[in-house]
Amino acid sequence: MSNEKPVRTRFAPSPTGYLHVGGARTALFNYLYARAKKGSFILRIEDTDQARSDKKSRDQMIESMIWLGLDWDEGPEKGGAFGPYSQSERLDIYKEYAQKLIDEKKAYLCFCSNEELEAKKKQREAMGLPPVYDGKCRSLEEDEIEKKRQETPNHVIRFKMSKEEIIVQDKVQGVVKFDSSLIGDFIIVKSDGFPSYNYAVVVDDNLMQINHVIRGVGHLSNTPRQIAIYRAFNWEEPVWAHVSEIVGSDHKKLSKRHGATAITSFREMGFPPESFLNYMSLLGWSPPDGVEFMTKEKIISQFDIERCNKSPSMFDVFDLSIADGVELSDLNHFELEKYLFAKSKLNWLSNNHIRSLSEERYLKDMMPFVKESGQVPEEEIDGERLKNILLSLRVYLDYLMQIEKYIGDFFNKFDITEDALSWLKKEHALKLTESFLNLVKDNSDWKEENIMPIIKEAGSICEVKGKDLFMTIRAASTGKTTGLELPVYLALLGKERVLKRLENSIDAIRP
RNA sequence: GUCCCCUUCGUCUAGUGGUUAGGACUCGGGAUUUUCAUUCCCGCAACAGGGGUUCGACUCCCCUAGGGGACGCCA
């Protein structure tokens, strides 16, 4: 087996909407497999549906792929030895091969009208027969074909399906048998001259030398059709791998109803791409060592299609029960955030990824969210203080957008929460706050290591210690009962800001 | 309707005839952190149901239920 061909996989989306979780996961598995086997990963755009395909979807999909880090070796724009990589630019190729099939009597022109077909289908169904094409145009004579061509402008090309049993050997599904007589002569070229999916996919995959087809199990029942075409051309079948589908929390296949499955939504909320990639890799696959937090490189090194499972996995990072009638896919990332499960595995993974990002990368990625929050004054945007604040806050974040919950506290925002107020209502609070205020005023070197002694000194002056001391000072100077380690927090806040807040708190304490 | 596929803790999953059915996220409890988060420890929690086969079934077979997919001039 030493001279095995290099692995070539592909992702072949149709540009009829944004890239969603299901598609992205398929892309990911193809990518991972290609990379794991040191092969190539190809991107092909399947835009043969003239009515539904559009450029905007195409561009958005490509953008999402790039964001996820699923870089392809050949594809549109990028090029490669087997282009073009958009089906709409390959029309001549499909025509050529279709003609070949016709010449070899493996395909034929069909002139049946939609109405006729529809009526027949109903009839067959009523009789309990499988709703397949009856083969009316299958054995038309040459002169009849010519005559019909004159009469009817539109025709399709159908593939002559044999009646044999077709066996699909699948890396994930195992051996699956299909009875071809239940399939019938399907259309390979539509009346607009465009190829149908089952035909185009085979021509392209063969010409592009794709030797591993990894896709959702929804395509399994298409596979016998495709195998039949491979055989008609005498082409070598690829290795098939039909992985489980991803479903929503209602156990139905992921669709627009489940909303917000667009990859862009997660980018907009500030999930690092590696965390989303990590999460998706765990849907239908698991690493042999069981450690789920992984870098892309680690995933690649452990990935194998054989470890993919057949049962559907649920994508449940949104709480649909509180969404009640709300169309999540209509929401912007700002509104969408409310429906996120606070404690999903995605969040956990993402928190871990954020914490292991390099400082530069973290800071750089964070800036748009800081700006968007509108809580940081212009002059501080590039400052050292902001940088230090962001770095200390890192441990709290599951996705970068969450910074807006914390960042304001370090600038002009100052509210005293109920909890904090109850500390300030304690007997010792006023005196302690005042004496702490005085000590802070006197301080001339405001930095982290000098703050603890000041807190303790205020405590000993007022004879307060332990929790009472720390929590009161925390409440008075931050307005909250939670947050960073107190000296760190106060150092980050800066002396002037602390003084001002202490004064505000004293006002709040006084009747 | 016909054909194909699926069903292990709430969720993601490990598991291929003999396991106290393992891990992760969540949840509960505890320790550390004079707060929160982090970290660590402990705990709750599952083989869809029913029949077989077998000395022995989560694992193999059949049936039922539930779910998904295909049967398109959608991909």
Side-chain angles (χ1 to χ4, degrees):
Chain A
M1 297 294 252
S2 56
N3 57 352
E4 266 200 27
K5 285 183 193 153
V7 166
R8 288 173 63 84
T9 66
R10 47 74 171 175
F11 176 53
S14 52
T16 55
Y18 45 66
L19 181 65
H20 56 85
V21 177
R25 207 271 313 243
T26 302
L28 173 64
F29 281 12
N30 277 284
Y31 170 85
L32 292 173
Y33 192 71
R35 293 287 171 264
K37 299 290 178 190
K38 306 254 181 287
S40 303
F41 174 57
I42 287 95
L43 177 65
R44 182 175 72 226
I45 305 294
E46 308 217 326
D47 49 358
T48 54
D49 185 343
Q50 296 191 80
R52 294 196 303 156
S53 300
D54 67 280
K55 177 114 183 5
K56 198 181 148 218
S57 300
R58 184 195 124 114
D59 293 347
Q60 211 177 58
M61 275 184 175
I62 288 182
E63 190 196 330
S64 292
M65 294 272 295
I66 292 170
W67 177 71
L68 282 169
L70 302 178
D71 49 289
W72 52 96
D73 303 297
E74 298 166 27
E77 275 124 51
K78 178 152 194 166
F82 304 93
Y85 292 91
S86 289
Q87 290 189 326
S88 57
E89 295 167 32
R90 301 173 62 82
L91 264 24
D92 292 344
I93 299 174
Y94 308 126
K95 276 200 187 110
E96 182 195 331
Y97 282 92
Q99 190 56 50
K100 214 167 155 183
L101 288 178
I102 293 172
D103 293 346
E104 292 173 15
K105 305 260 181 276
K106 289 170 177 166
Y108 59 93
L109 270 51
C110 169
F111 301 91
C112 298
S113 70
N114 275 330
E115 296 73 35
E116 196 180 342
L117 258 21
E118 195 55 41
K120 276 189 193 164
K121 191 176 158 191
K122 282 215 175 98
Q123 230 175 58
R124 292 185 75 95
E125 264 171 11
M127 284 158 47
L129 294 166
V132 295
Y133 178 63
D134 65 356
K136 184 186 169 196
C137 300
R138 192 173 187 160
S139 39
L140 255 28
E141 298 297 333
E142 288 296 328
D143 53 333
E144 279 179 291
I145 295 172
E146 269 321 303
K147 198 175 151 223
K148 289 219 180 232
R149 267 187 129 146
Q150 310 283 327
E151 291 165 2
T152 353
N154 287 340
H155 68 267
V156 298
I157 302 174
R158 286 185 185 270
F159 180 79
K160 275 188 194 167
M161 197 69 190
S162 67
K163 300 245 189 291
E164 61 187 342
E165 182 182 66
I166 293 184
I167 296 169
V168 181
Q169 298 272 1
D170 193 285
K171 283 277 197 189
V172 178
Q173 302 291 326
V175 176
V176 190
K177 295 171 184 167
F178 291 90
D179 179 358
S180 302
S181 63
L182 264 25
I183 294 172
D185 296 346
F186 58 95
I187 291 167
I188 57 174
V189 177
K190 301 183 262 186
S191 57
D192 63 2
F194 276 59
S196 72
Y197 165 75
N198 281 305
Y199 166 66
V201 106
V202 172
V203 172
D204 288 342
D205 282 345
N206 178 263
L207 261 27
M208 295 179 182
Q209 296 182 15
I210 303 302
N211 46 26
H212 293 257
V213 171
I214 302 168
R215 71 223 310 192
V217 71
H219 287 286
L220 183 61
S221 26
N222 280 319
T223 310
R225 275 167 252 264
Q226 295 167 18
I227 288 177
I229 297 177
Y230 275 102
R231 288 182 186 166
F233 281 120
N234 232 314
W235 288 340
E236 195 184 340
E237 255 181 71
V239 173
W240 306 104
H242 289 91
V243 299
S244 64
E245 220 79 65
I246 299 177
V247 296
S249 44
D250 53 0
H251 296 273
K252 306 243 190 254
K253 191 184 168 186
L254 225 46
S255 72
K256 243 193 148 181
R257 278 184 326 103
H258 301 94
T261 61
I263 301 304
T264 47
S265 305
F266 296 93
R267 189 197 61 204
E268 283 162 6
M269 287 188 283
F271 286 94
E274 43 275 81
S275 70
F276 202 72
L277 197 89
N278 191 168
Y279 180 77
M280 283 198 303
S281 76
L282 263 11
L283 259 24
W285 174 78
S286 62
D289 71 0
V291 181
E292 296 185 318
F293 171 61
M294 293 171 284
T295 61
K296 188 166 88 174
E297 289 64 37
K298 175 101 185 287
I299 299 171
I300 290 170
S301 74
Q302 299 206 81
F303 188 80
D304 200 318
I305 202 72
E306 320 253 341
R307 276 190 73 84
C308 291
N309 64 25
K310 298 204 227 180
S311 47
S313 345
M314 193 186 293
F315 179 74
D316 85 14
V317 304
F318 292 105
D319 188 348
L320 263 32
S321 67
I322 57 168
D324 192 37
V326 178
E327 191 77 54
L328 257 48
S329 58
D330 293 342
L331 303 181
N332 63 32
H333 62 286
F334 217 70
E335 300 162 323
L336 191 58
E337 195 206 354
K338 296 182 210 136
Y339 299 103
L340 222 42
F341 271 126
K343 297 289 191 171
S344 71
K345 190 175 277 187
L346 172 61
N347 283 24
W348 177 79
L349 285 170
S350 186
N351 175 269
N352 280 280
H353 275 104
I354 286 174
R355 282 162 36 183
S356 50
L357 250 32
S358 74
E359 283 194 9
E360 296 94 314
R361 163 83 193 285
Y362 166 73
L363 260 11
K364 182 170 156 279
D365 289 2
M366 184 58 99
M367 283 326 283
F369 295 94
V370 170
K371 285 177 184 158
E372 192 184 64
S373 78
Q375 298 183 84
V376 180
E378 199 62 38
E379 64 273 18
E380 292 233 46
I381 285 285
D382 296 316
E384 193 70 9
R385 188 169 85 93
L386 175 63
K387 198 174 128 182
N388 290 330
I389 291 167
L390 294 177
L391 256 12
S392 326
L393 253 19
R394 189 136 72 144
V395 72
Y396 289 90
L397 306 175
D398 292 338
Y399 46 96
L400 302 181
M401 189 186 158
Q402 285 179 321
I403 198 69
E404 70 183 28
K405 284 200 300 200
Y406 304 101
I407 195 75
D409 292 335
F410 292 87
F411 296 91
N412 298 325
K413 196 175 130 206
F414 181 62
D415 317 301
I416 302 174
T417 65
E418 284 296 315
D419 287 348
L421 203 57
S422 68
W423 280 100
L424 296 180
K425 281 179 181 157
K426 296 207 174 196
E427 212 182 318
H428 60 263
L430 182 59
K431 194 181 163 208
L432 179 62
T433 306
E434 281 172 340
S435 65
F436 182 62
L437 174 77
N438 288 328
L439 290 168
V440 173
K441 263 185 191 157
D442 293 342
N443 175 274
S444 57
D445 190 13
W446 190 253
K447 57 184 185 193
E448 193 185 316
E449 56 267 39
N450 294 342
I451 292 171
M452 188 62 99
I454 303 177
I455 297 171
K456 289 201 166 146
E457 198 183 335
S460 71
I461 292 170
C462 303
E463 293 180 324
V464 182
K465 57 183 178 180
K467 217 167 177 172
D468 280 338
L469 170 62
F470 281 83
M471 288 308 282
T472 304
I473 291 182
R474 177 180 288 278
S477 48
T478 72
K480 300 223 158 35
T481 53
T482 61
L484 298 174
E485 214 179 318
L486 198 47
V488 175
Y489 203 155
L490 297 187
L492 248 19
L493 231 27
K495 183 175 162 180
E496 294 312 314
R497 216 171 260 101
V498 171
L499 285 174
K500 191 142 178 282
R501 288 171 185 212
L502 290 171
E503 280 162 12
N504 285 342
S505 295
I506 288 166
D507 290 345
I509 300 169
R510 285 214 179 97

